[in-house]
Amino acid sequence: MGTGKRSLIAAAVTVVCAVTVLAAPGTAFAAPTPIPSPSSTSSTPVSTEELETVRKKLDKLYRAASSATDAYNAAEEKAEQQSAEIVALAKKIAKGKEKLRELKKRAGAAAAAQYRTGGLPPEAQLMLSDDPDEFLDGTGRVRQGERATRHLIDEMTRTQQDLELYAKDASAQWAKLEANRKAKAAAQKKIEKQIAAAEKLESQLEKEELERLAELEEQAAYEAQTTWLSSGILDELHGTATQQGKKAVEFATAQIGKPYEWGAEGPKTYDCSGLTSQAWATAGSVIPRTSQQQWKQLKRIDIEDMRPGDLIIYFDDASHVGMYVGDGAMVHAPRPGRTITIAGAGSMPILGVVRPDAG
């Protein structure tokens, strides 16, 4: 292979390594060596071995971006929940303040009534009465008045305490919201750097090399799927989709050909968990937004019990998800630069399978 092409690959690997170091918090790093433009390279083609190295580096970058996308989506979901809680607390505070104003108004009216009677307590007024029946009748009213006054004071105290609690809760939610906004921004920064590094690496390859790279990706997926199928797993898969599962599969497969976009939930673009969560939402089940939360919260089942509509979680960090559609295949949104497609269910390392519906 020509010296120019070797420099291209070496420089590309340097960039990948630099970005990997960059992702580690608190790590100092040097600026990556600039990659020479294709026009400055030799026409000697890159070897298959070197393209395979590039493929693995790209896979590593996109997987890191996928993991960061899950963190971004989780932070966004939490921020939305906290915003809703803050709005609910604000409504409670407004309602509480209105109630407190009404209670104070009633207390003021009671004080004014007492002023009109000369400021004498009810007991003194009764002692000065010459009518025994009026005295006895008044005694009951005094007791009722005392109870009403105590109730008024207790209600004012409770309302004031509620307002203080709502304000404290709102302050705590604001703090959480700010923390999640920072987490979301950090995840977004990491995603953009990982994707930019991958795109830069791919941009240095010529058209024919990009085609060979795509073939290598397909070959790697095919080999993994073949190994998975050779275990005889299809002989064990006889699950039938539920009505909800069918609807979820119909929605997901109807999106085939639409581009992947991190953080997207449709209708024009999706990321992997955006596709699966929206498919099941359309089918009538609200499931967690991210693949990691889908793995944590949904019911886990054995692979041999898998049926169409179930979600297959991939990689040790649960950073990718696809939907099983039957016959050993799944539909998924692969990564940036790719579109939603059907792929082998075993084309990536399977962490496990989860079931959104219990039917």
Side-chain angles (χ1 to χ4, degrees):
M1 187 181 78
T3 304
K5 283 291 183 180
R6 293 187 185 278
S7 300
L8 164 62
I9 298 301
V13 171
T14 301
V15 170
V16 173
C17 294
V19 171
T20 303
V21 173
L22 177 61
T27 305
F29 63 99
T33 303
I35 298 176
S37 63
S39 60
S40 66
T41 60
S42 167
S43 59
T44 305
V46 177
S47 70
T48 298
E49 290 75 13
E50 288 170 315
L51 272 180
E52 178 64 13
T53 299
V54 171
R55 184 194 70 79
K56 290 179 179 179
K57 295 299 181 181
L58 285 171
D59 183 63
K60 185 176 182 180
L61 284 169
Y62 282 123
R63 276 197 57 199
S66 179
S67 182
T69 298
D70 243 24
Y72 175 91
N73 290 335
E76 183 177 52
E77 188 174 35
K78 287 180 181 178
E80 289 175 355
Q81 292 172 352
Q82 282 147 6
S83 294
E85 289 175 6
I86 289 170
V87 170
L89 286 167
K91 290 180 179 178
K92 287 183 178 180
I93 290 172
K95 188 176 180 180
K97 286 183 176 180
E98 180 60 32
K99 182 179 180 181
L100 190 59
R101 281 194 294 268
E102 180 60 29
L103 291 172
K104 288 181 177 179
K105 183 178 178 181
R106 286 167 54 189
Q114 184 177 359
Y115 176 78
R116 285 194 299 271
T117 61
L120 292 174
E123 294 87 345
Q125 296 179 41
L126 292 174
M127 291 299 293
L128 296 174
S129 174
D130 294 329
D131 188 338
D133 291 334
E134 183 182 347
F135 178 83
L136 292 174
D137 183 55
T139 300
R141 290 198 301 272
V142 167
R143 289 174 179 171
Q144 290 177 358
E146 289 175 343
R147 285 196 295 269
T149 300
R150 285 197 298 270
H151 177 73
L152 180 61
I153 293 172
D154 289 344
E155 195 169 3
M156 288 177 66
T157 301
R158 284 196 301 271
T159 301
Q160 186 65 48
Q161 290 173 342
D162 286 345
L163 284 171
E164 291 174 358
L165 180 61
Y166 296 154
K168 184 177 180 181
D169 287 347
S171 178
Q173 291 301 331
W174 273 115
K176 290 180 181 179
L177 180 61
E178 182 61 22
N180 277 309
R181 282 176 176 167
K182 290 180 179 178
K184 181 179 171 182
Q188 179 175 350
K189 187 176 181 181
K190 182 176 180 181
I191 293 165
E192 291 171 345
K193 286 179 178 176
Q194 299 287 353
I195 292 177
E199 290 175 344
K200 187 173 184 179
L201 179 53
E202 287 182 293
S203 71
Q204 304 309 304
L205 298 174
E206 296 173 3
K207 181 180 179 181
E208 183 271 337
E209 292 162 349
L210 287 172
E211 291 173 352
R212 288 170 56 205
L213 180 65
E215 290 174 359
L216 286 175
E217 290 178 351
E218 291 176 3
Q219 181 180 343
Y222 173 79
E223 290 175 354
Q225 175 75 352
T226 300
T227 300
W228 185 66
L229 291 177
S230 66
S231 66
I233 186 65
L234 279 187
D235 296 335
E236 304 293 331
L237 296 177
H238 303 293
T240 303
T242 61
Q243 287 301 314
Q244 272 193 309
K246 289 179 181 178
K247 289 180 180 178
V249 169
E250 287 173 2
F251 178 90
T253 53
Q255 312 313 309
I256 289 175
K258 292 184 178 180
Y260 175 103
E261 181 183 2
W262 62 266
E265 299 177 82
K268 295 182 179 180
T269 58
Y270 295 86
D271 63 19
C272 66
S273 57
L275 176 64
T276 55
S277 61
Q278 287 302 304
W280 272 101
T282 302
S285 290
V286 177
I287 65 173
R289 169 65 177 86
T290 71
S291 59
Q292 292 174 345
Q293 288 303 311
Q294 289 169 3
W295 173 242
K296 288 180 181 178
Q297 297 182 29
L298 299 180
K299 179 182 178 182
R300 298 182 186 181
I301 61 169
D302 294 333
I303 294 178
E304 56 266 26
D305 295 327
M306 186 165 59
R307 67 190 184 200
D310 288 342
L311 305 183
I312 308 174
I313 309 298
Y314 293 98
F315 305 112
D316 291 342
D317 58 356
S319 58
H320 191 70
V321 60
M323 179 182 293
Y324 186 62
V325 296
D327 296 325
M330 60 90 174
V331 59
H332 73 144
R335 65 167 177 82
R338 298 290 185 264
T339 59
I340 296 171
T341 187
I342 296 288
S347 57
M348 294 174 286
I350 296 176
L351 177 61
V353 179
V354 293
R355 177 162 293 166
D357 63 331

